[in-house]
Amino acid sequence: SVRSRSQAESGKQWYQRRVRGQIDMALRPYLMRDFISALPEYVSEQILSYLDEQSLCRAERVSKRWREIICNGHLWRKLIIRNVKTKAIWERLGKRREWISHLHRAAEFGSEYYKELYPKIVQDLKMSNEMWKLGKLNLRKIDCASHDSKGVYCLQYDDEKIVSGLRDNTIKVWDLNSLKNTMTLTGHTGSVLCMQYDENIIITGSSDASIRIWDVKTGEPLHMLIHHVDAVLHLRFQNGIMVSCSKDRTIAVWTMSGNPQNIVMKHALVGHRAAVNVVDFDEKYIVSASGDRTIKVWGTEACEFIRTLQGHTRGIACLQYHGTLVVSGSSDCTIKLWDIEAGAILRTLEGHEELVRCIRFDSHRIVSGAYDGKIKVWDLKAALDPRTPVKDICIRTISEHKGRVFRLQFDEFQIVSSSHDDSIVIFDFLSPHDYYSDFSAIRPIHYSENSSIEDCDSDTTLRRLDSNNSLDSLDDSS
């Protein structure tokens, strides 16, 4: 009986395997059907348009019909457009290299142009990244030609212009392409120490203790704010809030509406024991740094004090805050990286020989400027990795300014800095090679299973700031 049950079970399993085999044979032709070729072309185009660059390369090799669908649908062009919309570096490169206007002229350029353009963009990005470490810089310089006191304390730029605040009490606007002065704003009776602008207004702070608002297009003065009783050393605004700080040791939090006349002070934050040299903030925290050697963290909503970060041995001149990371520069000649939540120092960077006056960082790099006249570029990811040797963190030192570096801003392709030497210097990291007119300069792009557009190899795409001193008094002393 046991044997018979075993035989019955074996027979049952044999029968089930046979049935599954028959079903498999019957369905296989349907399962192996090329549905991309069978679907209406506009549907197939829509499906394939979601592919990344590696998958699109492979799809072109499936069949002539797939290649035809990709060609007719201009899918390489659509992939470039998608990257331009989702990756700021692609948009900036497109504007700088002027191929971005070609994306809306498909009939004129044809599908093959965009297929060939894609690897050229990748190569250009790769080589621009290498230029940060090794390449010869393309320098452009603005001599601000101040009549009296010389020095450019602050600046901000976009794709069209540079706006700068000068020691001679003026705000000057420069065309980024021609480097010509297009507008000069006057009204402050002291050095313009800080500024920020958006698409509508410029807001400036001065050693005359005032904050002034100007029309960004016409330069017309719109309003003046008086609250601080000493020099306004720094300010930031965003999302209806402005934060300013002063040599009077206070921080002011302002509410902003659409009308520049309706900027109202909301809170005054008091706690620092010396001039407050810099502030930064987001929707969660306001972060301030002072000549008292401390960084203080405040709640943005309620403006309550939260914690103090201590570690610098001299006054702190500059900082930037983003996410959970704070990067600060000090008169002790060091740069410190902090976790704002834990209040802990993540890394200390040494290399500058004098006060670190300005600092900015993005997701890849930290760029610092100091009174030693040097600009240093640091690898941010390496700095955050405790296993990285100190010698591998600073990737480049630039010595171009003949005086103290006061302010800088940078993006993926350039650093724009200003100095006590009365100049603004633009350091351009774009490769000098014109990839886009020579379409035979780069071999076709090939992808392996583990490669990506970001990591293709060369064969694929080729004076001290103590508690009694503040920045403006130090800067004005020489």
Side-chain angles (χ1 to χ4, degrees), residues 377-391:
V377 181
W378 315 78
D379 186 320
L380 176 59
K381 292 181 180 179
L384 291 173
D385 185 347
R387 299 168 298 180
T388 304
V390 174
K391 63 181 178 63

Side-chain angles (χ1 to χ4, degrees), residues 40-270:
E41 186 164 311
Y42 73 93
V43 178
S44 299
E45 286 178 9
Q46 185 66 24
I47 294 170
L48 295 178
S49 70
Y50 290 100
L51 298 179
D52 60 19
E53 63 279 352
Q54 298 179 37
S55 303
L56 197 58
C57 272
R58 297 189 187 106
E60 283 192 314
R61 297 194 292 267
V62 169
S63 69
K64 290 182 179 180
R65 178 57 183 154
W66 281 43
R67 180 180 175 84
E68 185 180 69
I69 292 169
I70 291 169
C71 180
N72 292 342
H74 295 278
L75 298 193
W76 283 104
R77 168 179 162 270
K78 291 178 180 178
L79 179 57
I80 296 172
I81 291 173
R82 190 166 80 217
N83 284 342
V84 167
K85 289 181 178 180
T86 59
K87 302 175 183 179
I89 188 172
W90 281 67
E91 181 180 11
R92 291 194 186 103
L93 183 65
K95 290 177 179 178
R96 289 288 304 274
R97 296 300 203 186
E98 300 182 348
W99 51 254
I100 199 164
S101 61
H102 301 176
L103 299 180
H104 305 288
R105 296 155 64 183
E108 179 180 345
F109 286 95
S111 179
E112 286 300 312
Y113 167 81
Y114 299 104
K115 181 182 176 180
E116 197 170 350
L117 175 63
Y118 194 95
K120 296 178 185 301
I121 297 171
V122 174
Q123 176 71 349
D124 203 0
L125 290 171
K126 180 178 183 295
M127 291 308 299
S128 294
N129 185 57
E130 291 298 316
M131 289 281 289
W132 279 88
K133 301 175 183 178
L134 304 171
K136 183 178 180 181
L137 296 174
N138 177 29
L139 302 180
R140 296 192 296 155
K141 191 171 184 178
I142 299 172
D143 181 356
C144 294
S146 302
H147 295 296
D148 301 313
S149 303
K150 294 185 180 294
V152 186
Y153 281 138
C154 53
L155 62 81
Q156 183 183 338
Y157 72 88
D158 55 36
D159 294 332
E160 299 175 351
K161 63 184 177 296
I162 303 172
V163 182
S164 58
L166 281 73
R167 191 178 179 186
D168 68 2
N169 308 348
T170 66
I171 300 102
K172 291 186 177 181
V173 183
W174 314 85
D175 183 280
L176 187 58
N177 294 315
S178 69
L179 305 186
K180 292 181 179 179
N181 179 214
T182 59
M183 190 161 51
T184 300
L185 315 183
T186 59
H188 280 297
T189 57
S191 299
V192 182
L193 303 176
C194 55
M195 57 145 294
Q196 184 183 341
Y197 70 84
D198 62 12
E199 64 276 9
N200 298 311
I201 58 174
I202 304 171
I203 303 183
T204 57
S206 168
S207 58
D208 65 12
S210 73
I211 297 172
R212 292 176 182 260
I213 300 93
W214 319 76
D215 186 290
V216 73
K217 295 182 177 66
T218 66
E220 177 188 358
L222 302 176
H223 194 37
M224 180 172 68
L225 304 173
I226 299 292
H227 164 72
H228 293 292
V229 297
D230 210 331
V232 181
L233 301 180
H234 200 245
L235 61 83
R236 303 296 297 166
F237 70 88
Q238 61 177 317
N239 301 326
I241 299 174
M242 179 173 72
V243 182
S244 62
C245 62
S246 170
K247 190 179 177 182
D248 65 13
R249 306 184 182 187
T250 69
I251 302 157
V253 182
W254 311 75
T255 58
M256 304 172 66
S257 65
N259 187 344
Q261 303 289 334
N262 294 332
I263 300 178
V264 180
M265 202 197 75
K266 175 184 174 185
H267 287 287
L269 308 181
V270 180

Side-chain angles (χ1 to χ4, degrees), residues 300-336:
T300 302
E301 183 67 28
C303 293
E304 79 280 13
F305 170 73
I306 296 175
R307 66 177 63 90
T308 298
L309 310 182
Q310 294 180 300
H312 281 294
T313 60
R314 295 290 179 186
I316 303 167
C318 55
L319 66 74
Q320 183 183 348
Y321 156 57
H322 181 73
T324 61
L325 182 63
V326 175
V327 181
S328 60
S330 167
S331 183
D332 62 16
C333 305
T334 69
I335 297 164
K336 291 186 183 293

Side-chain angles (χ1 to χ4, degrees), residues 240-419:
I241 299 174
M242 179 173 72
V243 182
S244 62
C245 62
S246 170
K247 190 179 177 182
D248 65 13
R249 306 184 182 187
T250 69
I251 302 157
V253 182
W254 311 75
T255 58
M256 304 172 66
S257 65
N259 187 344
Q261 303 289 334
N262 294 332
I263 300 178
V264 180
M265 202 197 75
K266 175 184 174 185
H267 287 287
L269 308 181
V270 180
H272 283 293
R273 296 178 290 105
V276 186
N277 292 316
V278 59
V279 289
D280 203 356
F281 75 99
D282 61 12
E283 69 280 355
K284 188 174 183 180
Y285 294 131
I286 296 170
V287 186
S288 59
S290 167
D292 65 9
R293 312 179 187 185
T294 68
I295 297 170
K296 291 188 180 293
V297 182
W298 320 74
T300 302
E301 183 67 28
C303 293
E304 79 280 13
F305 170 73
I306 296 175
R307 66 177 63 90
T308 298
L309 310 182
Q310 294 180 300
H312 281 294
T313 60
R314 295 290 179 186
I316 303 167
C318 55
L319 66 74
Q320 183 183 348
Y321 156 57
H322 181 73
T324 61
L325 182 63
V326 175
V327 181
S328 60
S330 167
S331 183
D332 62 16
C333 305
T334 69
I335 297 164
K336 291 186 183 293
L337 284 67
W338 311 75
D339 183 316
I340 195 171
E341 300 291 355
I345 298 172
L346 303 174
R347 173 79 81 158
T348 298
L349 306 178
E350 298 178 341
H352 282 294
E353 299 167 3
E354 295 186 46
L355 179 151
V356 182
R357 177 66 159 83
C358 49
I359 201 154
R360 304 299 296 169
F361 70 87
D362 62 10
S363 58
H364 302 289
R365 306 174 185 92
I366 302 169
V367 182
S368 59
Y371 277 5
D372 57 14
K374 296 175 183 177
I375 294 171
K376 288 183 176 288
V377 181
W378 315 78
D379 186 320
L380 176 59
K381 292 181 180 179
L384 291 173
D385 185 347
R387 299 168 298 180
T388 304
V390 174
K391 63 181 178 63
D392 295 336
I393 300 176
C394 183
I395 60 177
R396 187 161 194 163
T397 299
I398 303 169
S399 302
E400 181 64 28
H401 284 292
K402 300 300 186 289
R404 298 166 171 174
V405 181
F406 284 154
R407 194 61 54 91
L408 61 80
Q409 181 186 337
F410 76 98
D411 57 44
E412 293 89 345
F413 307 117
Q414 61 191 342
I415 300 172
V416 181
S417 61
S418 65
S419 169

